[in-house]
Amino acid sequence: MLACKGFGLGMAAAIGGIAALLISGVPAALAQENVTVFAAASLKNALDDINTACEADVGEKATISYAGSSALAKQIEQGAPADIFISADLDWMEYLSEKNLTKKDTETRLLGNRIVLVAPADSSVTAEIKDGFDLAGLVGDGKLAMANTDSVPAGKYGKAALEKLGAWAAVEGKVAQSENVRAALALVATGEAPFGIVYQTDAAAEPKVKIVAQFPEDSHPPIIYPVAQLAESKDDDAGAFLKCLQSSKARELFEAQGFTVLLPPVSN
């Protein structure tokens, strides 16, 4: 599951269990009965709360599958039954839009976020992230946990920031890549990696890690989470779920997890 070497079987079992909790499969029969949402793994805490809060407005609880945006987009492309897609970057929404797999008039820029450097909660390390940042020296003989840097948004943002800061070439060989940002977070939370790059919201959701430093916002492309209804969606309640995502109650829950809401709220 994880594209990294040198970690033990105990870690693999632990991360596998976490991933199984985070990334739920969506049986086709269930997907036909409920609004089905494919959402970036970093949204889990906020979206679980919003799903409960929106149940009365939508008329049902949505079935939500969490994973890396890249994996979800590929599943949608291959015909996985889903009504709504929430990506952690614009690229994967554009990927589906260009293939006419979204309802373009529903594509909306919903949220913003930040990336941070994290360490286990009991770490005493401090750092300042700036040009020439010696991240490789900080990591030492350990590993830097990141989501896949070629495809998963959190990993792509992190790599872009490290390249701009002049730190990527030296640290690239120390990177332990995972299939989504929550799996990278778990590597740090379990002590398998001394440092990781995750979203600020992930760090806030995991008490076993601490934020060492924030990456300058101008060191990477803006972190934007778009949402859209999918072209093959036939569920009449999908529109109600989209509307509730932009409501005041959803805004409060997104902001409670540290997201920036990019749209003015619509009425509940």
Side-chain angles (χ1 to χ4, degrees):
M1 180 186 68
L2 297 178
C4 57
K5 298 180 180 180
F7 291 104
L9 293 176
M11 180 283 296
I15 302 305
I18 293 166
L21 290 173
L22 289 177
I23 307 172
S24 55
V26 183
L30 186 59
Q32 293 170 3
E33 296 173 3
N34 297 78
V35 175
T36 301
V37 181
F38 278 15
S42 52
L43 289 164
K44 179 170 174 54
N45 296 69
L47 206 54
D48 280 353
D49 290 345
I50 289 166
N51 194 20
T52 299
C54 287
E55 183 177 2
D57 296 324
V58 178
E60 63 188 30
K61 254 191 176 178
T63 298
I64 306 178
S65 180
Y66 298 101
S69 301
S70 52
L72 295 172
K74 290 292 187 178
Q75 289 174 27
I76 292 166
E77 182 183 18
Q78 293 164 12
D83 297 294
I84 292 169
F85 177 48
I86 313 177
S87 174
D89 71 358
L90 297 174
D91 291 347
W92 286 110
M93 185 64 74
E94 183 178 349
Y95 178 85
L96 294 181
S97 183
E98 289 179 348
K99 294 178 180 296
N100 296 315
L101 293 174
T102 65
K103 295 184 177 181
K104 291 181 173 56
D105 61 341
T106 68
E107 293 179 15
T108 303
R109 297 185 178 196
L110 183 64
L111 303 170
N113 209 338
R114 297 194 68 173
I115 54 171
V116 296
L117 181 69
V118 295
D122 60 359
S123 172
S124 60
V125 172
T126 59
E128 180 183 359
I129 298 177
K130 58 184 180 180
D131 286 343
F133 175 46
D134 184 16
L135 181 56
L138 189 66
V139 173
D141 294 332
K143 291 288 186 178
L144 175 68
M146 296 179 67
N148 186 288
T149 59
D150 292 325
S151 60
V152 179
K156 291 162 60 182
Y157 292 128
K159 180 180 178 180
L162 293 176
E163 286 179 330
K164 185 165 184 180
L165 294 166
W168 176 251
V171 82
E172 181 179 5
K174 301 175 184 288
V175 173
Q177 298 190 48
S178 59
E179 64 185 14
N180 64 67
V181 70
R182 286 299 176 94
L185 179 71
L187 286 174
V188 182
T190 58
E192 298 292 339
F195 296 97
I197 297 176
V198 300
Y199 295 118
Q200 176 177 273
T201 53
D202 296 312
E206 176 50 78
K208 293 181 180 180
V209 306
K210 59 176 283 188
I211 294 175
V212 174
Q214 291 186 331
F215 282 84
E217 291 192 67
D218 62 0
S219 67
H220 55 79
I223 298 175
I224 297 173
Y225 289 64
V227 60
Q229 187 173 359
L230 297 171
E232 295 300 314
S233 171
K234 302 294 191 294
D235 195 309
D236 293 338
D237 294 322
F241 191 87
L242 278 176
K243 182 178 180 182
C244 198
L245 282 177
Q246 300 172 50
S247 67
S248 296
K249 69 176 74 174
R251 170 182 288 266
E252 291 176 3
L253 292 169
F254 278 130
E255 290 178 343
Q257 294 293 329
F259 289 97
T260 301
V261 179
L262 301 179
L263 289 175
V266 297
S267 58
N268 292 340

